[in-house]
Amino acid sequence: MINANARAVFGPEGPFILTTIERRDLKPHDVLIEIKYAGICHSDIHTARGDWGPVQYPIVPGHEIAGVVAQVGSEVTKYTVGDRVGVGCMVDSCRECESCRRGEEQYCLNGHTGTYAAIDRYGQYTQGGYSTHIVVTEDFVVRIPDGIDLDVAAPLLCAGITTYSPLRHWGAASGKKVAVVGLGGLGHMAVKLAHAMEAEVTVLSQTLKKKEDGLKLGADHYYATSDAETFKKLAGTFDLIVNTVSAKIDLNAYLSLLAVDGTLVNVGAPPEALPVQVFSLIPHRRSFAGSAIGGIRETQEMLDFCAEHHITPEIEVISANQIDEAWERVLASDVRYRFVIDISTMGNE
């Protein structure tokens, strides 16, 4: 077993404690990654606090992982020691079902293996990227292009692909009107990506507090959803709305903003149910959908797209001792726009 320093929570209320975890010895197709940076995702908080169901403690979150290959298994062909690589929200899947064969492992019909809080094929409980090292099969590792620094690469492995995938799937492009609900860790990436895809981009946020930021990030328009006039003015406007918030919203009000054949897709995942009235959909053939991350092939495509278009997230780098504070700031929407942990500080008390 390979020992790694990590920060774990031992119950739903935390706090994070410095600990040591064991990573499996390398199988023939495994890669040992020395983690340099790990992003903080709202999903880390939901999972570790039991919002999405019971979890096993202790838990080491983190599925936005950027680092360097430190060692490879005897049959690895895709990577060599020193390569700059990343790991996102999953570390394995069945590889055999229709979804996996199609390159959409995130929709594995037998259930993909999450980077943390899951049981892998070896019967081990997976632990994530708030740690110094991780062992992952080479098929679930992606290459970070030279044009992207490792600290800003980390959030692309979740926030980047979570927004890139629905934008691609529902055809964000020139001539399309795309709205992004929420300008947070996911939302600011959605704006940057949709702008690079040449869509006309509108941000829908509770207030106009971040309007200047939104326009700088690439939005063409910015509206406050706390203003009832917004929903009257924009009724029937958008081809695609990407809802990035992990809180309860009035879906029916947002569905009214869709044009005929428009789609509202949720990538934010609040723990409570979101009711939809069928007559919000039927009269204009509107759709309400959900989207997870992307498959490994699409994640690599996203990274290459970001390198080509010079797209990186806005980040605040923190030390491992600041994780508890960062989580509270995420919950208070007090970050612009993604926290990234400097893993070189992981062993510091």
Side-chain angles (χ1 to χ4, degrees):
M1 290 289 185
I2 299 163
N3 289 328
N5 287 332
R7 296 294 173 116
V9 289
F10 288 74
E13 300 303 319
F16 277 92
I17 296 172
L18 176 63
T19 189
T20 301
I21 59 174
E22 291 184 337
R23 301 297 192 182
R24 67 173 181 265
D25 290 331
L26 269 66
K27 309 296 182 183
H29 289 281
D30 280 347
V31 174
L32 171 66
I33 299 168
E34 181 183 352
I35 302 173
K36 299 296 185 181
Y37 296 95
I40 292 177
C41 177
H42 209 142
S43 299
D44 299 346
I45 302 173
H46 279 309
T47 303
R49 294 190 172 177
D51 293 342
W52 292 341
V55 292
Q56 176 181 316
Y57 297 100
I59 182 173
V60 178
H63 57 206
E64 298 181 339
I65 298 168
V68 176
V69 175
Q71 188 178 341
V72 297
S74 59
E75 297 180 25
V76 169
T77 60
K78 297 179 180 179
Y79 302 100
T80 59
V81 172
D83 285 348
R84 304 163 73 252
V85 295
V87 176
C89 302
M90 54 186 173
V91 291
D92 206 351
S93 70
C94 79
R95 326 278 188 96
E96 298 173 352
C97 71
E98 181 179 351
S99 294
C100 288
R101 293 197 305 270
R102 199 167 55 230
E104 293 185 326
E105 301 92 346
Q106 76 275 30
Y107 301 124
C108 176
L109 299 180
N110 296 301
H112 70 257
T113 304
T115 305
Y116 58 83
I119 303 297
D120 67 18
R121 65 176 61 218
Y122 306 106
Q124 296 179 353
Y125 190 65
T126 61
Q127 303 285 10
Y130 296 11
S131 58
T132 55
H133 297 80
I134 191 169
V135 175
V136 182
T137 179
E138 63 176 328
D139 289 340
F140 282 76
V141 175
V142 291
R143 188 176 302 277
I144 296 174
D146 290 338
I148 303 178
D149 292 336
L150 291 179
D151 55 353
V152 290
L156 295 177
L157 278 304
C158 176
I161 187 57
T162 297
T163 49
Y164 180 90
S165 187
L167 289 169
R168 277 293 190 225
H169 183 78
W170 277 280
S174 178
K176 297 288 187 178
K177 294 183 177 181
V178 174
V180 176
V181 182
L183 193 69
L186 291 175
H188 92 288
M189 284 306 306
V191 169
K192 288 190 173 193
L193 291 164
H195 175 73
M197 294 172 185
E198 302 183 355
E200 182 179 336
V201 185
T202 298
V203 174
L204 301 173
S205 186
Q206 283 187 309
T207 70
L208 299 179
K209 183 172 63 175
K210 299 179 182 177
K211 181 175 180 179
E212 185 178 347
D213 279 8
L215 297 178
K216 286 180 180 178
L217 293 168
D220 299 287
H221 316 285
Y222 200 109
Y223 290 92
T225 55
S226 56
D227 183 354
E229 289 300 312
T230 292
F231 290 91
K232 295 178 183 178
K233 183 175 182 178
L234 299 179
T237 295
F238 301 107
D239 301 295
L240 174 64
I241 300 175
V242 180
N243 177 24
T244 71
V245 300
S246 292
K248 189 174 183 179
I249 65 170
D250 183 354
L251 286 179
N252 299 292
Y254 286 88
L255 287 166
S256 75
L257 304 181
L258 291 171
V260 173
D261 288 330
T263 300
L264 167 59
V265 55
N266 250 58
V267 294
E272 61 267 63
L274 300 177
V276 176
Q277 296 294 331
V278 70
F279 283 103
S280 296
L281 304 172
I282 289 175
H284 295 85
R285 202 164 58 195
R286 294 163 172 153
S287 299
F288 175 52
S291 177
I293 51 174
I296 299 302
R297 183 176 60 222
E298 188 176 45
T299 302
Q300 187 65 61
E301 176 187 301
M302 176 274 303
L303 288 169
D304 295 340
F305 180 88
C306 287
E308 178 185 354
H309 293 273
H310 308 290
I311 297 172
T312 55
E314 307 297 313
I315 67 169
E316 181 178 335
V317 177
I318 63 168
S319 72
N321 289 331
Q322 295 174 291
I323 298 174
D324 288 304
E325 176 189 349
W327 274 31
E328 294 308 313
R329 287 179 58 192
V330 169
L331 293 173
S333 299
D334 179 27
V335 54
R336 295 194 177 180
Y337 282 91
R338 205 70 162 178
F339 285 117
V340 174
I341 306 163
D342 179 352
I343 299 300
S344 69
T345 66
M346 187 57 64
N348 298 344
E349 291 283 7

